[in-house]
Structures are given as C-alpha cells and as structure tokens.
Amino acid sequence: MFALFRRIRKQLVPEGNFGKYLKYAIGEIILVVIGIVIALQVNNWNENRKSRSFEQEMLAQIRENLKVDKMDLKKVHKNFEKAISSITKILEHEQEQYPDSLKFWLGDILQFERFAAITNSYETLKSNGLDKVSDDKLRRLLSNYYENEVEQVSRAIIDVEYAFLNDWKPLLKELSIEDFKFRQYVIVNDPNIFDRSSVARNNLILNKDNYSGGTTRISQVIQSIDEILNRLSAELEK
C-alpha cells in the first residue's frame, strides 16, 4: 500500500498536479496513523491477554494453596477442641479417683500445633502487582488474609506452644511423671494435683483460655478462606 502511494506521488509531483498530490499525501498520513493505532491495539490486546493469563495462573495456584491451609487449620481446630474437652473433664471431675482416661486427656492437652500458610503464589502475584487481580473485592480479601489474618491465627496457635514450653514443660520435670508420649498420653504419679489449688490446675485453666481463643480465631480464618475460595472459583470460571 505504501509503495503504491510512493509511486503515485512520484508521478504527480513532476506533472505539477499539486492538488491531487496533497490528497494522496493526506491519505498516506491517514494510513500511517491507522497503522499505528492498529499496532497499539494489537499490542494492548497481547498485553491484556498475557496479564489475564498470569492472573488466572496465580489465582489457580492460590486456590490450591488455600485448600491446603484450610485442611491444616481444620486439623489444628479439631485438636484444640479435643484439648478443651479434656480440660473440662479434668476440671469438672468430682470422683475420688481419676479414670484411666486421664492419661489420654493429658495427652490431648499437653501438646501444641504449628501452622505455616503457603504464601509463595501470593508473593509472586504481589511482586508483579496486586492490581493484576481484576476483581477488587477478591484483591482486598487476598490482601487481608495474607497480610493480616495469617499472622493473627499463627499467633493464636503459637500461644498454645508457648504455654506448653514455658508452663507445662518445667512443671512436668517437677511432677515426676511415669511416662509421656507426645500427643498420645501423659501418666503422672499423683493425679490429685489437679484437684487442689495448684500450679497444675491453674495451668489447665489458663490453657483452656488459650485453646478457646485459638479455636475462635481459626474458625474466623476458615470462614475467610471459604469466602475467598468461592470468589476465586467464580473468577476462574469466567
């Protein structure tokens, strides 16, 4: 097309046909502008396609990561609930002797969990710009989960570990326990230490509060994960 205009221009100029030459010159300019506009549009389309592809890939990975986070948190939540139930049984015990189940109750209580959210896909997305997430609501939910809620739920879970290491572990060394298997059972020589006003009983009361706070926080975060997962599925199905 441009070669044709150049040939016409060479023919018109020597003939002195300036009016026709001007029209062809304007036509050439218009064609150049149209070409530039089309090139820009194609480039923008390619960039948008790449950005959308990257967004979809990252969101799909984040969805899988959140499923793992949810599964891990549900496990911790279940163990915390067992611990609360066992603490309640010991604190409310009124018989002269504790049943053999005491060792398993203590096994539920004298333990701790750890939680580490999978953040690699979110960090990759974040480093490339969270604005690549086209859904504003989803972007806010992701940011709040990874920048706020993960830290809060991790701290709540760590509180239980802190209580085990700083309250229970030193006490267990003093109590002369018969046998101990982490997360399974604890056999103490004198079960009646939990009946009277003692450090062991106080630890149970404080521990129950830690576990209760942890289960509340975990439930809230699981609800947030469910909301994000629903939003992610809707976005990925577009």
Side-chain angles (χ1 to χ4, degrees):
M1 180 64 73
F2 290 111
L4 175 62
F5 270 95
R6 282 195 295 271
R7 286 198 299 272
I8 295 174
R9 180 179 59 195
K10 288 179 181 179
Q11 293 174 359
L12 292 176
V13 171
E15 295 174 1
N17 202 335
F18 184 75
K20 289 185 179 180
Y21 168 73
L22 183 60
K23 291 179 181 179
Y24 283 112
I26 292 173
E28 250 188 291
I29 293 172
I30 292 173
L31 276 179
V32 170
V33 172
I34 291 174
I36 292 173
V37 170
I38 292 174
L40 288 174
Q41 288 179 337
V42 170
N43 182 66
N44 288 338
W45 180 83
N46 284 330
E47 290 300 319
N48 290 336
R49 181 180 57 80
K50 290 178 182 178
S51 179
R52 180 60 177 171
S53 177
F54 173 77
E55 177 193 7
Q56 294 279 299
E57 181 182 355
M58 289 299 101
L59 292 183
Q61 291 180 16
I62 288 173
R63 179 170 63 178
E64 296 309 307
N65 292 344
L66 286 173
K67 288 178 180 179
V68 176
D69 285 357
K70 180 181 176 180
M71 181 176 62
D72 290 344
L73 286 171
K74 288 181 73 173
K75 176 187 172 185
V76 176
H77 188 274
K78 181 179 179 179
N79 287 338
F80 277 20
E81 284 188 323
K82 285 176 61 179
I84 293 171
S85 176
S86 293
I87 291 173
T88 301
K89 290 173 184 176
I90 296 175
L91 292 177
E92 294 180 353
H93 178 74
E94 295 179 351
Q95 300 175 12
E96 291 185 5
Q97 292 185 337
Y98 282 95
D100 292 339
S101 301
L102 174 65
K103 63 183 179 183
F104 300 115
W105 297 345
L106 293 175
D108 292 337
I109 300 165
L110 305 186
Q111 53 91 31
F112 59 85
E113 297 283 348
R114 286 178 178 169
F115 169 71
I118 305 174
T119 62
N120 55 332
S121 296
Y122 173 76
E123 292 299 333
T124 300
L125 177 62
K126 182 181 175 182
S127 66
N128 283 270
L130 288 178
D131 58 339
K132 284 186 167 52
V133 179
S134 53
D135 185 329
D136 292 341
K137 175 66 174 178
L138 177 58
R139 184 166 61 247
R140 289 193 295 271
L141 288 172
L142 288 172
S143 179
N144 184 57
Y145 173 75
Y146 285 104
E147 306 293 343
N148 182 32
E149 292 186 298
V150 164
E151 181 182 354
Q152 291 182 4
V153 77
S154 297
R155 191 183 305 123
I157 294 172
I158 288 174
D159 284 345
V160 173
E161 179 180 355
Y162 181 89
F164 175 83
L165 296 175
N166 293 275
D167 299 333
W168 284 113
K169 191 174 180 180
L171 183 60
L172 289 174
K173 291 180 180 180
E174 298 177 7
L175 291 178
S176 180
I177 61 175
E178 291 184 13
D179 198 3
F180 171 79
K181 192 163 186 180
F182 188 68
R183 283 205 182 100
Q184 295 191 31
Y185 60 81
V186 180
I187 302 175
V188 295
N189 286 325
D190 181 15
N192 294 321
I193 58 172
F194 299 108
D195 282 340
R196 52 185 178 266
S197 179
S198 63
V199 175
R201 190 173 183 84
N202 289 338
N203 279 355
L204 286 177
I205 296 171
L206 293 174
N207 224 182
K208 186 176 182 180
D209 183 66
N210 286 338
Y211 278 119
S212 296
T215 54
T216 299
R217 174 56 64 185
I218 292 170
S219 294
Q220 292 170 343
V221 173
I222 289 176
Q223 288 179 0
S224 295
I225 290 176
D226 284 337
E227 184 178 3
I228 296 172
L229 288 175
N230 290 334
R231 199 107 190 165
L232 279 170
S233 295
E235 184 66 23
L236 291 170
E237 290 171 4
K238 286 183 179 179

